[in-house]
Structures are given as structure tokens and as C-alpha cells.
Amino acid sequence: MSAPHLTPDAAPVPAALHVRTVRLEEEVDLLGHVPAEVSGAWLRHGQGMVALGTAWSVQTAGPHRFTAAAAAFRQVAEHARVDDEVRVRPSGLIALGSFSYADSSPRPSTLMVPRAVLGVHDGESFLTVVGVDEEPQLPASWRDLFPSTPRDPASAPLEVEPDHTPDEYQALVQEAVAGIRAGRAEKVVLSERTTVRSPAPLSRAVLLARLARAYPSTWVYHLDDVIGASPEMLAQTEDGRVFSRVLAGSRPVADGGELDEQDRRAFRADAKERSEHAFAVDSVVERLEGLAEHLEVSPEPFVLRLPGLEHLASDVSAALRAGTTSLDVAARLHPSAAVSGTPRAEADGIIARLEPHDRGGYASPVGWMDADGDGQWAIALRMAHLRDERTAVLQAGGGLVAASDPVSEHAEALAKCRPMLRALRGEETG
């Protein structure tokens, strides 16, 4: 069942979903069972879920897209019959979601309940099956639904075409920085697209397994046309609390390497990087007002080390006001200054002028939520839009402030494309 684009006043008639989750007594290697027809995924440290099919979905658009999707799912949850013998995150009724960056985006935002989910959480393995207006049928074996991940094919040469030459992109950076110095914004996050064409069909299952193995500490995601490995948690809610991890300020590092201690100390003390980071943290703290209280923020940024990049990071946590869902928080925080800039309206205006294409699902919330509204929403970074079975459009960028250097910013954008490009090529991380 699906629905057209909605406003909050035009919710669909909900399907009667019958949800059953059963415990699997054997240990499941989740990355070894990503089906070729995978419809969605959420993976980290070998845990999470992979999904098949669609039992229910809704597509929304415009400034009320988050509210409309949440209202539609709430109706479905109210009418659902759920038999969950496992009761862990994310068993029972869950919906996977991918939202578009801009209110004006022609790309619809999607919230989807899968037909089947294979999951692992804190050592518990489970299978969820969903029937629409009927009881779901359990397979004789969970492997009937989730066979082994397809074999990783031999890598093939790819055609890689950035939207801009290095000089052209650096000129855009210079233009944005000039606007900042003129007082039109304090920070702007500019991004670059790269189109990758493959001579052979791209396997979403293989890409997911490659990303999850190469970048286990990121949140690896897939739904509809987006796939990637995000290091940034926008909104995670559980037991009345919200957690958000803010990344802003980056240093590319050599393949398989990391900053030495002297360079890392200099990175943490760099005035430009700390300024960029402070804008991002402040935007999250300010936007949580009214939704949360008793905020706790990392006293100092820490360095998060990932293959090929190191980031300044801060964690924010707080007690949620009653009735606030994970999607409520994600909607309030999006777009944070980490992916837009500050002030938000002025930064988005500069982005719209300098970036020639709609961002689609890039830098927007992607994740999942349960029937109670708890869930996890990452920012769709280190990602690609899958345009067709042989074409992926990568997108990555970085935050600009008055002291930004165009050459360094271009290098950062290239480094942030590297995880997805390596997954497409089947390369090791080093």
C-alpha cells in the first residue's frame, strides 16, 4: 500500500498491519545475509537490520513532510496488531525513512514499513514478518527470505565525472567565503557532486556489505535511492532521552593513516575549525529548546577518527519532553549548521545559488523509528543517489567560514567522497 504526497490534513486510510517478530536461536551474521532484493538497511558494528519488500509506505513533500509522514505512520501504528516475542530495538513494528533536504525538493520523502526484517541487537537475532490485512506467514527458515549476500564481483573500471573541475569548485568556495566576509552569513556548507558510471550493474547488497565492513563505526543506510555510511547521528531517542553527535571541522589523512599527536593537537586548537564546530553545536542546542531540557554537551570537542578523515566531534544529550518522537527531533534539527550553515536561511540561500542541483536526499535525515516514536536518524552523508542500475551520483562537501582556504576545502570534499567511491570500486580502505 502506498499514498500520494500528503499534507498533515490529508492522511491515508491506514492498512491493518499484522506484525510478528520471532527470536532466532542461532547467531546471525547480518552482513552475510543482505539479500539481492534488499529494500532497506540500517547497520553498525555488525548489528541493525536489513529489510525486504514494502508492507506500507507514504511519500510526502514540502515544508510539512516530516509532520505528514509521522502522522500517517502513527495512524498505521494505532491500527496494527503486533506480536513481538523479542522486544529489543528495533524489533516489532518499525518504519525506515529517507527525507529530502529542501522544502522545495522535487524528490519525495519516504517512510516505509518493510514486509520482512532480519535484525541483530545486543546479541539477539530476530525475524519480523508483516502481513497486510492478514496474518503474516513465517517461512520454514529465515534463510528462505534472507539468503547469503551475493558474491562480491570483480572490480571493473568506473567512469568518474565531477560536476566541476578543481578550479571551478574552488572558485565557488571563494564566492561563498566572499559572502561570509561581507556579512551575508557566518558559515556556509558547500557541496560537490560526482557522477559515477559502471559498466556492470551495481548491487545494493554488495555495496552495503562493503560499506559496513570498511566503516563499521558509521551508520550504514539504504532506502529508495540513497545509500551511504554516515558518521553523524542527528537524533537518537530512547527511554525519554535524545542523543545527537555533531561533526564539524575535518582533516583528511593519508590512506590507512592518522594524524600524529602534534598535528591532532593543532587540529583541536585551530581557530577556524573550532569556529566552524561551535556554529554546528550551537545550532543543535538552540533548536532543542522546547523539545528537551537538562542538556549536556561535551565540554570540549573530541577527535573522531575514521579511515581517511578525522573530525572534531561533540555529543549532545538531553531529557525529552513527553510525547516528543525521534522524527520530531530530526525535523527540528534539520538542517543543522553542520550541513547548512548559519544563519540557516541566509546559508541555504547561498547554497541554492551556488549549487546547481537540488540536494535530494543528501545531508538530510535517514533512519528508522518504532511504533512509540523512538528511533535513530543519521544525516545522509558519505553517500550516493542511485540513479539507475549502473549510475550513482556521489555528493560531499564541507563547512566554510571566513578563514576557509579553497584548496583545502576542495581536498576535504574529495576525501569525503572516498568511502562511497571505494565501495563502488570494491577497494580496501587500507
Side-chain angles (χ1 to χ4, degrees):
M1 175 182 177
S2 62
H5 292 194
L6 300 172
T7 67
D9 299 322
V13 176
L17 299 185
H18 299 247
V19 183
R20 185 175 180 190
T21 298
V22 295
R23 179 176 287 103
L24 303 177
E25 299 302 333
E26 59 190 293
E27 185 175 328
V28 173
D29 171 17
L30 202 53
L31 302 187
H33 292 276
V34 184
E37 302 82 12
V38 61
S39 62
W42 184 260
L43 302 163
R44 188 170 188 250
H45 289 310
Q47 298 195 115
M49 59 183 137
V50 292
L52 271 176
T54 301
W56 172 90
S57 71
V58 65
Q59 290 190 330
T60 61
H64 303 295
R65 60 196 180 282
F66 296 97
T67 305
F73 180 57
R74 186 164 55 249
Q75 279 196 310
V76 168
E78 289 171 353
H79 290 82
R81 292 176 52 188
V82 181
D83 178 9
D84 181 2
E85 69 178 41
V86 182
R87 297 186 180 279
V88 298
R89 304 181 83 203
S91 64
L93 175 62
I94 62 97
L96 292 161
S98 168
F99 289 82
S100 291
Y101 181 89
D103 292 352
S104 59
S105 177
R107 174 191 181 268
S109 299
T110 299
L111 200 60
M112 179 271 280
V113 175
R115 280 276 188 176
V117 172
L118 179 66
V120 176
H121 181 78
D122 286 348
E124 290 271 17
S125 302
F126 62 88
L127 174 70
T128 298
V129 290
V130 180
V132 181
D133 296 323
E134 63 181 3
E135 291 290 336
Q137 298 298 312
L138 287 171
S141 167
W142 61 268
R143 290 184 175 82
D144 294 340
L145 289 176
F146 295 92
S148 297
T149 304
R151 289 185 59 185
D152 203 330
S155 58
L158 302 176
E159 179 185 335
V160 180
E161 182 182 353
D163 273 3
H164 302 95
T165 67
D167 286 345
E168 289 170 341
Y169 185 71
Q170 289 166 31
L172 292 175
V173 171
Q174 287 178 318
E175 190 172 346
V177 171
I180 293 169
R181 291 173 179 169
R184 289 192 284 274
E186 295 176 275
K187 174 185 174 182
V188 174
V189 181
L190 195 65
S191 69
E192 167 74 319
R193 300 194 329 168
T194 300
T195 300
V196 178
R197 296 180 178 87
S198 169
L202 299 170
S203 166
R204 299 177 186 217
V206 169
L207 289 174
L208 284 166
R210 287 174 179 172
L211 287 168
R213 290 193 172 99
Y215 306 97
S217 63
T218 67
W219 289 272
V220 173
Y221 58 87
H222 165 53
L223 185 68
D224 285 347
D225 61 335
V226 296
I227 189 168
S230 177
E232 192 157 357
M233 175 55 62
L234 182 66
Q236 172 178 299
T237 66
E238 185 176 15
D239 297 332
R241 291 195 64 82
V242 60
F243 165 82
S244 183
R245 170 161 289 174
V246 182
L247 304 185
S250 305
R251 282 284 195 277
V253 295
D255 291 348
E258 59 181 52
L259 296 175
D260 62 36
E261 199 52 46
Q262 181 177 349
D263 287 341
R264 187 171 291 120
R265 284 197 299 270
F267 176 35
R268 292 182 64 180
D270 186 284
K272 177 263 179 185
E273 303 289 0
R274 290 184 70 95
S275 172
E276 178 188 337
H277 188 79
F279 285 134
V281 174
D282 289 347
S283 76
V284 169
V285 171
E286 289 168 4
R287 293 175 199 172
L288 282 175
E289 291 182 6
L291 293 183
E293 52 195 6
H294 308 305
L295 271 69
E296 299 175 7
V297 183
S298 300
E300 286 287 323
F302 59 92
V303 176
L304 180 67
R305 306 174 193 177
L306 294 171
L309 278 169
E310 299 198 9
H311 298 276
L312 288 185
S314 291
D315 289 342
V316 179
S317 64
L320 278 177
R321 297 281 176 88
T324 304
T325 70
S326 61
L327 196 51
D328 292 334
V329 179
R332 177 72 68 87
L333 295 182
H334 173 75
S336 78
V339 296
S340 170
T342 189
R344 180 195 291 188
E346 287 77 2
D348 275 343
I350 294 173
I351 290 168
R353 183 167 55 84
L354 297 182
E355 290 188 12
H357 303 284
D358 174 65
R359 284 187 166 186
Y362 166 68
S364 57
V366 60
W368 66 275
M369 65 188 298
D370 64 20
D372 294 325
D374 277 340
Q376 296 175 303
W377 297 95
I379 301 176
L381 303 172
R382 313 297 193 273
M383 59 84 69
H385 287 99
L386 300 175
R387 297 301 190 208
D388 56 48
E389 66 174 11
R390 297 174 189 265
T391 308
V393 180
L394 285 56
Q395 193 157 353
L400 310 177
V401 292
S404 291
D405 170 64
V407 175
S408 298
E409 296 299 338
H410 183 230
E412 180 179 330
L414 293 176
K416 290 175 178 177
C417 274
R418 200 177 302 151
M420 198 67 235
L421 191 56
R422 280 180 162 164
L424 289 164
R425 287 174 168 159
E427 296 176 349
E428 299 292 331
T429 60

